[in-house]
Amino acid sequence: MKVDLFDFELPRERIAEHPANPRDAARMLDLSVANELHDRIVRELPDILRPGDLLISNDTRVIPARLFGKRGEAKVEVTLHKQEGLGTWVAFAKPAKKLRIGEIFKVNEEFEAEVLDKKDGGEVTLRFNKSGADLIAALEKYGVMPLPPYIRREAGGDDQDKSDYQTIFAQKDGAVAAPTAGLHFTPELLANLDARGINRRTITLHVGAGTFLPVKVDDTEDHKMHAEWGSISKEIADLINETRDKGGRVVAVGTTSLRLLESAAREDGVVEPFEAETDIFITPGYKFRAVDMLLTNFHLPRSTLFMLVSAFAGFERMKAAYGHAIDNEYRFYSYGDCSLLECANKIDART
Protein backbone atom coordinates (compact mmCIF):
# COMPACT_ATOMS: atom_id res chain seq x y z
CA MET A 1 0.00 0.00 0.00
CA LYS A 2 1.09 3.57 -0.56
CA VAL A 3 2.41 5.16 2.66
CA ASP A 4 0.77 8.47 1.73
CA LEU A 5 -2.62 6.88 2.48
CA PHE A 6 -1.72 6.92 6.17
CA ASP A 7 -0.84 10.59 6.35
CA PHE A 8 -2.91 13.20 8.20
CA GLU A 9 -2.47 16.70 9.57
CA LEU A 10 -2.04 17.02 13.33
CA PRO A 11 -1.76 20.41 15.05
CA ARG A 12 1.30 20.64 17.29
CA GLU A 13 -0.87 21.59 20.28
CA ARG A 14 -2.52 18.14 20.17
CA ILE A 15 0.76 16.44 21.17
CA ALA A 16 0.87 15.69 24.90
CA GLU A 17 4.01 16.80 26.76
CA HIS A 18 3.03 15.14 30.07
CA PRO A 19 0.63 12.34 31.04
CA ALA A 20 -2.81 12.82 32.57
CA ASN A 21 -2.95 13.01 36.37
CA PRO A 22 -4.19 10.63 37.63
CA ARG A 23 -3.29 8.36 34.76
CA ASP A 24 -6.70 6.73 34.46
CA ALA A 25 -8.28 10.17 33.96
CA ALA A 26 -6.98 10.16 30.37
CA ARG A 27 -9.67 10.31 27.71
CA MET A 28 -10.60 7.15 25.84
CA LEU A 29 -12.32 7.12 22.46
CA ASP A 30 -14.48 3.99 22.55
CA LEU A 31 -14.94 2.26 19.18
CA SER A 32 -15.94 -1.09 20.66
CA VAL A 33 -19.48 -0.83 19.24
CA ALA A 34 -19.78 -1.06 15.46
CA ASN A 35 -20.35 2.26 13.66
CA GLU A 36 -20.34 4.24 16.92
CA LEU A 37 -17.90 6.60 18.65
CA HIS A 38 -18.17 7.30 22.37
CA ASP A 39 -16.08 9.79 24.33
CA ARG A 40 -15.12 8.19 27.63
CA ILE A 41 -12.23 8.11 30.11
CA VAL A 42 -9.93 5.20 30.85
CA ARG A 43 -11.48 4.77 34.28
CA GLU A 44 -14.62 3.45 32.55
CA LEU A 45 -12.80 0.48 30.99
CA PRO A 46 -14.16 -2.09 33.52
CA ASP A 47 -17.72 -1.11 32.56
CA ILE A 48 -17.05 -1.83 28.88
CA LEU A 49 -15.24 -5.15 29.23
CA ARG A 50 -17.04 -8.32 30.26
CA PRO A 51 -16.37 -10.85 33.03
CA GLY A 52 -14.22 -13.60 31.56
CA ASP A 53 -12.32 -11.26 29.23
CA LEU A 54 -8.51 -11.43 29.46
CA LEU A 55 -6.41 -8.25 29.56
CA ILE A 56 -2.84 -8.77 28.31
CA SER A 57 -0.24 -6.09 29.15
CA ASN A 58 3.46 -5.71 28.43
CA ASP A 59 5.67 -5.94 31.54
CA THR A 60 8.86 -4.63 29.94
CA ARG A 61 10.67 -1.91 31.88
CA VAL A 62 12.21 1.11 30.15
CA ILE A 63 15.89 1.66 30.87
CA PRO A 64 17.42 5.17 30.71
CA ALA A 65 18.99 4.33 27.38
CA ARG A 66 19.93 7.82 26.17
CA LEU A 67 23.55 8.70 26.91
CA PHE A 68 25.53 11.90 26.39
CA GLY A 69 29.28 11.56 26.07
CA LYS A 70 32.34 12.26 23.96
CA ARG A 71 34.71 10.74 21.43
CA GLY A 72 37.82 12.68 22.25
CA GLU A 73 36.58 16.28 22.43
CA ALA A 74 33.62 15.74 20.11
CA LYS A 75 30.21 15.56 21.80
CA VAL A 76 28.14 12.52 20.87
CA GLU A 77 24.67 11.32 21.92
CA VAL A 78 23.65 7.67 21.67
CA THR A 79 20.33 5.92 22.24
CA LEU A 80 20.55 2.18 22.84
CA HIS A 81 17.86 0.22 21.05
CA LYS A 82 18.75 -3.48 20.85
CA GLN A 83 20.77 -5.67 23.18
CA GLU A 84 23.27 -7.98 21.48
CA GLY A 85 24.92 -9.39 24.62
CA LEU A 86 25.35 -8.71 28.34
CA GLY A 87 27.46 -5.61 27.65
CA THR A 88 26.85 -5.07 23.93
CA TRP A 89 24.09 -2.92 22.42
CA VAL A 90 23.17 -1.58 19.01
CA ALA A 91 22.50 2.16 19.28
CA PHE A 92 21.57 5.18 17.22
CA ALA A 93 24.39 7.73 17.39
CA LYS A 94 24.14 11.46 16.74
CA PRO A 95 26.24 12.53 14.95
CA ALA A 96 27.28 9.00 13.92
CA LYS A 97 30.16 10.36 11.82
CA LYS A 98 31.94 11.29 15.06
CA LEU A 99 32.33 7.60 15.97
CA ARG A 100 34.69 5.21 14.19
CA ILE A 101 35.22 1.50 14.69
CA GLY A 102 37.71 0.86 17.48
CA GLU A 103 37.24 4.26 19.11
CA ILE A 104 35.91 4.89 22.62
CA PHE A 105 32.62 6.60 23.43
CA LYS A 106 33.16 7.96 26.94
CA VAL A 107 30.31 8.99 29.23
CA ASN A 108 32.73 9.69 32.10
CA GLU A 109 35.87 8.23 33.67
CA GLU A 110 34.10 5.10 34.87
CA PHE A 111 31.59 4.44 32.10
CA GLU A 112 32.54 4.02 28.44
CA ALA A 113 32.08 1.80 25.38
CA GLU A 114 34.13 0.65 22.41
CA VAL A 115 32.65 1.06 18.92
CA LEU A 116 32.58 -2.45 17.43
CA ASP A 117 30.69 -1.76 14.22
CA LYS A 118 28.91 0.92 12.16
CA LYS A 119 25.84 0.46 9.99
CA ASP A 120 23.60 2.59 7.82
CA GLY A 121 21.14 5.04 9.34
CA GLY A 122 23.39 6.18 12.19
CA GLU A 123 23.54 2.77 13.88
CA VAL A 124 26.60 1.68 15.82
CA THR A 125 27.38 -1.38 17.92
CA LEU A 126 28.85 -0.56 21.33
CA ARG A 127 30.60 -2.83 23.85
CA PHE A 128 30.49 -1.26 27.31
CA ASN A 129 33.01 -1.68 30.08
CA LYS A 130 30.13 -2.92 32.26
CA SER A 131 27.64 -5.71 31.69
CA GLY A 132 24.51 -7.27 33.13
CA ALA A 133 23.26 -5.69 36.34
CA ASP A 134 26.31 -3.38 36.50
CA LEU A 135 25.43 -1.92 33.10
CA ILE A 136 21.80 -1.38 34.09
CA ALA A 137 22.98 0.37 37.28
CA ALA A 138 25.25 2.65 35.25
CA LEU A 139 22.42 3.50 32.86
CA GLU A 140 20.14 4.29 35.81
CA LYS A 141 22.82 6.61 37.20
CA TYR A 142 24.00 8.37 34.04
CA GLY A 143 21.34 7.76 31.39
CA VAL A 144 18.25 9.75 30.45
CA MET A 145 14.85 8.31 29.63
CA PRO A 146 14.67 7.87 25.84
CA LEU A 147 11.58 9.94 25.21
CA PRO A 148 10.36 10.05 21.62
CA PRO A 149 11.52 13.10 19.66
CA TYR A 150 8.10 14.78 19.57
CA ILE A 151 8.16 15.30 23.37
CA ARG A 152 10.18 18.45 24.00
CA ARG A 153 12.76 18.29 26.78
CA GLU A 154 16.10 19.87 27.60
CA ALA A 155 19.10 17.67 26.77
CA GLY A 156 19.44 16.51 30.37
CA GLY A 157 15.84 15.33 30.49
CA ASP A 158 13.15 15.76 33.12
CA ASP A 159 13.48 13.80 36.38
CA GLN A 160 9.71 13.32 36.45
CA ASP A 161 9.94 11.32 33.24
CA LYS A 162 11.78 8.53 35.07
CA SER A 163 8.48 7.65 36.73
CA ASP A 164 6.03 9.09 34.18
CA TYR A 165 7.53 7.08 31.30
CA GLN A 166 7.16 3.76 33.13
CA THR A 167 4.02 1.64 33.30
CA ILE A 168 2.54 0.09 36.43
CA PHE A 169 3.31 -3.31 34.86
CA ALA A 170 7.06 -2.65 34.38
CA GLN A 171 9.18 -5.48 35.76
CA LYS A 172 11.73 -6.72 33.23
CA ASP A 173 14.56 -4.41 32.13
CA GLY A 174 15.14 -4.09 28.41
CA ALA A 175 12.86 -1.60 26.66
CA VAL A 176 14.08 1.69 25.26
CA ALA A 177 10.55 2.93 24.56
CA ALA A 178 7.52 2.61 26.80
CA PRO A 179 4.54 0.42 25.89
CA THR A 180 2.50 3.57 26.26
CA ALA A 181 -1.05 2.18 26.46
CA GLY A 182 0.04 0.73 29.80
CA LEU A 183 0.74 4.23 31.13
CA HIS A 184 -3.01 4.74 31.70
CA PHE A 185 -3.36 2.14 34.45
CA THR A 186 -3.48 2.82 38.19
CA PRO A 187 -3.86 0.51 41.22
CA GLU A 188 -7.48 1.65 41.53
CA LEU A 189 -8.26 0.78 37.91
CA LEU A 190 -6.64 -2.65 38.27
CA ALA A 191 -8.68 -3.30 41.42
CA ASN A 192 -11.89 -2.37 39.58
CA LEU A 193 -10.99 -4.67 36.68
CA ASP A 194 -10.41 -7.51 39.15
CA ALA A 195 -13.72 -6.84 40.89
CA ARG A 196 -15.48 -6.96 37.53
CA GLY A 197 -14.12 -10.47 36.90
CA ILE A 198 -11.72 -9.49 34.15
CA ASN A 199 -8.57 -11.61 34.14
CA ARG A 200 -5.16 -9.96 33.80
CA ARG A 201 -1.77 -11.30 32.75
CA THR A 202 1.48 -9.88 31.38
CA ILE A 203 3.82 -10.84 28.56
CA THR A 204 7.17 -9.29 27.62
CA LEU A 205 8.22 -7.41 24.49
CA HIS A 206 11.32 -5.25 24.85
CA VAL A 207 10.31 -2.25 22.75
CA GLY A 208 13.08 -0.79 20.60
CA ALA A 209 13.70 2.76 19.46
CA GLY A 210 12.85 1.62 15.94
CA THR A 211 9.23 2.07 17.02
CA PHE A 212 9.63 5.80 16.43
CA LEU A 213 11.52 5.66 13.15
CA PRO A 214 9.57 7.23 10.28
CA VAL A 215 8.58 5.11 7.31
CA LYS A 216 10.84 6.52 4.61
CA VAL A 217 9.72 4.38 1.68
CA ASP A 218 6.79 5.12 -0.62
CA ASP A 219 5.21 1.67 -0.41
CA THR A 220 4.66 -0.48 2.70
CA GLU A 221 6.07 -3.48 0.81
CA ASP A 222 9.52 -1.87 0.95
CA HIS A 223 9.60 -1.11 4.69
CA LYS A 224 11.68 -3.30 7.01
CA MET A 225 10.76 -3.48 10.69
CA HIS A 226 13.38 -3.61 13.44
CA ALA A 227 13.32 -6.87 15.38
CA GLU A 228 12.37 -6.89 19.07
CA TRP A 229 12.67 -9.72 21.60
CA GLY A 230 9.56 -11.10 23.24
CA SER A 231 8.37 -13.88 25.50
CA ILE A 232 5.04 -15.60 26.24
CA SER A 233 5.02 -18.44 28.76
CA LYS A 234 3.14 -21.71 28.25
CA GLU A 235 0.88 -20.80 31.17
CA ILE A 236 -0.15 -17.53 29.51
CA ALA A 237 -0.56 -19.14 26.08
CA ASP A 238 -2.82 -21.82 27.57
CA LEU A 239 -4.92 -19.22 29.39
CA ILE A 240 -5.36 -17.18 26.19
CA ASN A 241 -6.58 -20.24 24.30
CA GLU A 242 -8.85 -21.28 27.17
CA THR A 243 -10.32 -17.77 27.39
CA ARG A 244 -11.30 -17.70 23.74
CA ASP A 245 -12.60 -21.28 23.82
CA LYS A 246 -14.98 -20.17 26.60
CA GLY A 247 -16.18 -17.15 24.65
CA GLY A 248 -14.04 -14.55 26.43
CA ARG A 249 -12.17 -11.85 24.56
CA VAL A 250 -8.43 -11.24 24.51
CA VAL A 251 -7.81 -7.53 25.06
CA ALA A 252 -4.30 -6.33 24.18
CA VAL A 253 -3.01 -3.33 26.12
CA GLY A 254 -1.01 -1.61 23.42
CA THR A 255 0.34 -2.47 20.00
CA THR A 256 3.43 -4.09 21.57
CA SER A 257 1.30 -6.72 23.32
CA LEU A 258 -0.74 -7.20 20.15
CA ARG A 259 2.30 -7.69 17.90
CA LEU A 260 3.76 -10.28 20.24
CA LEU A 261 0.47 -12.17 20.55
CA GLU A 262 0.04 -12.21 16.78
CA SER A 263 3.64 -13.40 16.37
CA ALA A 264 2.91 -16.36 18.66
CA ALA A 265 -0.40 -17.34 17.05
CA ARG A 266 -0.76 -20.18 14.58
CA GLU A 267 -2.83 -19.94 11.39
CA ASP A 268 -5.81 -21.37 13.29
CA GLY A 269 -5.57 -18.72 16.03
CA VAL A 270 -4.08 -20.93 18.72
CA VAL A 271 -1.39 -19.07 20.68
CA GLU A 272 1.78 -21.02 21.44
CA PRO A 273 4.60 -20.28 23.91
CA PHE A 274 7.08 -17.84 22.38
CA GLU A 275 10.62 -16.75 23.13
CA ALA A 276 12.34 -15.14 20.17
CA GLU A 277 12.65 -11.95 18.16
CA THR A 278 9.75 -10.67 16.09
CA ASP A 279 9.70 -8.15 13.26
CA ILE A 280 6.02 -8.59 12.40
CA PHE A 281 4.66 -5.73 10.27
CA ILE A 282 0.87 -5.48 10.19
CA THR A 283 -0.92 -3.50 7.47
CA PRO A 284 -4.51 -3.48 6.17
CA GLY A 285 -5.45 -6.85 4.74
CA TYR A 286 -3.93 -8.77 7.66
CA LYS A 287 -6.30 -11.21 9.38
CA PHE A 288 -5.87 -11.15 13.15
CA ARG A 289 -5.50 -14.49 14.88
CA ALA A 290 -5.16 -13.85 18.61
CA VAL A 291 -6.53 -10.45 19.63
CA ASP A 292 -10.18 -9.37 19.86
CA MET A 293 -9.83 -5.86 21.32
CA LEU A 294 -7.03 -3.30 21.53
CA LEU A 295 -6.43 -0.39 23.89
CA THR A 296 -3.94 1.93 22.22
CA ASN A 297 -2.77 5.55 22.13
CA PHE A 298 -3.10 7.82 19.09
CA HIS A 299 -0.20 7.33 16.70
CA LEU A 300 2.02 9.27 14.33
CA PRO A 301 0.96 9.94 10.73
CA ARG A 302 2.60 7.56 8.24
CA SER A 303 3.72 5.30 11.09
CA THR A 304 3.69 1.52 11.23
CA LEU A 305 1.45 1.81 14.29
CA PHE A 306 -1.23 3.82 12.50
CA MET A 307 -1.06 1.18 9.76
CA LEU A 308 -1.57 -1.51 12.41
CA VAL A 309 -4.66 0.09 13.97
CA SER A 310 -6.07 0.69 10.48
CA ALA A 311 -5.65 -3.02 9.81
CA PHE A 312 -7.25 -3.90 13.16
CA ALA A 313 -10.35 -1.71 13.18
CA GLY A 314 -10.66 -0.75 9.51
CA PHE A 315 -8.94 1.97 7.51
CA GLU A 316 -11.94 4.25 6.98
CA ARG A 317 -13.06 3.79 10.61
CA MET A 318 -9.66 4.86 11.92
CA LYS A 319 -9.50 7.86 9.60
CA ALA A 320 -12.88 8.97 10.97
CA ALA A 321 -11.82 8.24 14.57
CA TYR A 322 -8.63 10.28 14.25
CA GLY A 323 -10.55 13.14 12.68
CA HIS A 324 -12.97 13.06 15.63
CA ALA A 325 -10.07 12.95 18.09
CA ILE A 326 -8.33 15.95 16.51
CA ASP A 327 -11.56 17.98 16.30
CA ASN A 328 -12.41 17.17 19.94
CA GLU A 329 -8.96 18.01 21.31
CA TYR A 330 -7.80 14.55 22.31
CA ARG A 331 -4.14 14.45 23.33
CA PHE A 332 -1.88 12.45 21.01
CA TYR A 333 1.13 10.13 21.22
CA SER A 334 3.05 8.59 24.13
CA TYR A 335 1.73 10.78 26.96
CA GLY A 336 -1.65 11.32 25.34
CA ASP A 337 -5.13 9.81 25.39
CA CYS A 338 -6.17 6.47 23.95
CA SER A 339 -8.76 4.54 21.98
CA LEU A 340 -10.46 1.19 22.55
CA LEU A 341 -10.85 -0.79 19.34
CA GLU A 342 -12.80 -3.89 18.33
CA CYS A 343 -11.17 -6.15 15.75
CA ALA A 344 -12.87 -5.96 12.35
CA ASN A 345 -10.57 -8.40 10.54
CA LYS A 346 -10.32 -11.80 12.24
CA ILE A 347 -9.45 -15.14 10.74
CA ASP A 348 -12.45 -17.35 10.07
CA ALA A 349 -11.40 -19.93 12.67
CA ARG A 350 -11.89 -17.46 15.53
CA THR A 351 -14.89 -15.40 14.39
Side-chain angles (χ1 to χ4, degrees):
M1 297 183 73
K2 292 298 183 183
V3 174
D4 285 348
L5 292 172
F6 302 94
D7 203 2
F8 57 88
E9 291 293 327
L10 182 74
R12 171 71 214 189
E13 60 268 23
R14 295 290 181 271
I15 301 175
E17 298 287 346
H18 298 278
N21 185 21
R23 295 188 183 198
D24 60 2
R27 299 175 71 190
M28 180 176 70
L29 182 57
D30 179 10
L31 287 83
S32 64
V33 178
N35 303 316
E36 295 183 17
L37 296 175
H38 296 282
D39 298 308
R40 304 188 189 277
I41 59 173
V42 174
R43 198 172 292 141
E44 297 176 70
L45 183 62
D47 300 325
I48 301 169
L49 302 184
R50 300 193 295 251
D53 287 343
L54 176 60
L55 198 73
I56 299 288
S57 306
N58 188 355
D59 65 6
T60 190
R61 182 177 180 277
V62 183
I63 59 175
R66 190 178 177 201
L67 295 168
F68 298 89
K70 292 183 176 182
R71 190 275 295 164
E73 294 302 314
K75 293 181 179 180
V76 181
E77 172 190 336
V78 302
T79 300
L80 312 185
H81 77 86
K82 184 183 177 186
Q83 188 172 11
E84 299 270 292
L86 288 177
T88 305
W89 280 76
V90 179
F92 294 113
K94 189 168 64 174
K97 64 182 180 181
K98 297 289 186 181
L99 295 177
R100 300 183 180 89
I101 294 174
E103 293 184 329
I104 300 298
F105 167 73
K106 186 182 287 288
V107 178
N108 54 39
E109 291 304 316
E110 66 173 51
F111 189 31
E112 62 184 33
E114 179 186 359
V115 181
L116 299 183
D117 192 18
K118 291 189 70 172
K119 304 175 184 179
D120 294 335
E123 279 190 325
V124 297
T125 302
L126 301 174
R127 182 172 59 205
F128 288 91
N129 63 339
K130 300 178 185 292
S131 64
D134 290 338
L135 176 55
I136 296 298
L139 291 171
E140 294 286 351
K141 185 174 182 179
Y142 301 115
V144 172
M145 281 306 232
L147 297 181
Y150 47 73
I151 294 177
R152 295 173 291 196
R153 293 289 187 272
E154 296 296 327
D158 184 335
D159 286 342
Q160 186 64 36
D161 289 315
K162 287 200 171 182
S163 60
D164 283 349
Y165 199 59
Q166 206 76 265
T167 76
I168 195 172
F169 309 106
Q171 292 182 354
K172 299 174 182 176
D173 290 324
V176 298
T180 54
L183 295 177
H184 300 297
F185 287 80
T186 63
E188 293 77 15
L189 177 56
L190 295 183
N192 289 337
L193 288 163
D194 294 343
R196 172 76 166 152
I198 295 154
N199 297 313
R200 298 187 290 107
R201 295 294 189 275
T202 61
I203 56 179
T204 306
L205 183 74
H206 291 321
V207 191
T211 295
F212 301 114
L213 290 179
V215 178
K216 296 182 178 179
V217 296
D218 294 327
D219 195 290
T220 58
E221 292 289 331
D222 300 320
H223 180 70
K224 179 173 174 55
M225 293 284 284
H226 280 70
E228 297 165 318
W229 185 89
S231 175
I232 300 174
S233 69
K234 183 179 185 303
E235 175 192 1
I236 301 300
D238 289 346
L239 180 59
I240 291 167
N241 297 325
E242 179 184 339
T243 296
R244 302 188 86 195
D245 288 342
K246 290 181 177 179
R249 299 173 297 182
V250 174
V251 184
V253 177
T255 56
T256 63
S257 297
L258 180 146
R259 287 190 291 116
L260 182 55
L261 289 167
E262 291 297 317
S263 298
R266 300 187 324 215
E267 290 286 344
D268 62 359
V270 172
V271 174
E272 297 184 323
F274 187 93
E275 189 163 346
E277 289 188 340
T278 177
D279 60 358
I280 188 170
F281 180 26
I282 296 174
T283 57
Y286 178 89
K287 295 293 185 182
F288 289 83
R289 306 170 182 178
V291 178
D292 302 296
M293 299 183 73
L294 171 64
L295 182 76
T296 184
N297 284 25
F298 292 97
H299 303 294
L300 286 163
R302 301 172 61 92
S303 66
T304 61
L305 300 182
F306 184 55
M307 295 171 192
L308 184 154
V309 296
S310 297
F312 189 81
F315 180 59
E316 293 300 330
R317 185 139 166 79
M318 291 314 300
K319 283 175 61 178
Y322 272 53
H324 175 91
I326 292 169
D327 291 344
N328 288 273
E329 300 186 355
Y330 276 72
R331 301 162 71 246
F332 272 62
Y333 304 161
S334 294
Y335 278 156
D337 299 316
C338 64
S339 60
L340 180 65
L341 311 178
E342 181 89 24
C343 185
N345 297 290
K346 299 179 188 177
I347 60 168
D348 292 340
R350 288 287 184 172
T351 52

